[in-house]
Amino acid sequence: MMAKKPNKEIRERYKRAINFGCVVCKKMGIWSEPQIHHLRINTGMGLKSDKFIPLCYQHHMIEYHRNPKEFEKNYGLQEELYKWYIENDRD
């Protein structure tokens, strides 16, 4: 089964996240181009959460996907990063 395409609202949220930059880097005062990371909380294999955070390639593909537990130990739980992102995503 193919994943469904994001609707207009989700695409707009993705654009905002891209403009925001990597949430981990931003907490350190740096802007870096992000990718969309869907939180892996209460989802099964191949399912995406509606919640996501912007993470740069380093934090997303190298650090998170290599060792999620170590990533969360170093940078905080995904839910905490999501909350920080939502609270700081201002125009």
Side-chain angles (χ1 to χ4, degrees):
M1 177 186 265
M2 290 182 70
K4 66 179 183 177
K5 292 176 96 173
N7 62 30
K8 185 176 180 179
E9 176 192 351
I10 298 295
R11 287 192 310 268
E12 288 300 316
R13 288 177 54 207
Y14 288 168
K15 285 180 191 176
R16 286 180 64 93
I18 298 299
N19 289 332
F20 185 84
C22 172
V23 69
V24 174
C25 290
K26 191 146 191 164
K27 288 181 82 171
M28 295 185 280
I30 303 165
W31 187 91
S32 58
E33 185 174 347
Q35 303 173 337
I36 299 299
H37 169 71
H38 291 87
L39 277 59
R40 303 279 190 222
I41 299 169
N42 299 324
T43 60
M45 290 294 291
L47 299 176
K48 292 182 180 176
S49 168
D50 289 339
K51 294 180 180 179
F52 58 82
I53 54 175
L55 292 175
C56 66
Y57 182 83
Q58 174 71 32
H59 290 119
H60 187 215
M61 300 306 289
I62 296 176
E63 295 191 40
Y64 177 81
H65 284 290
R66 183 174 291 158
N67 190 334
K69 289 185 189 317
E70 187 70 20
F71 175 89
E72 289 188 337
K73 179 179 153 193
N74 291 334
Y75 304 113
L77 299 174
Q78 293 177 80
E79 283 284 353
E80 293 168 348
L81 293 171
Y82 175 76
K83 183 179 178 190
W84 189 88
Y85 163 62
I86 295 301
E87 289 172 353
N88 289 278
D89 181 29
R90 308 242 188 317
D91 285 331

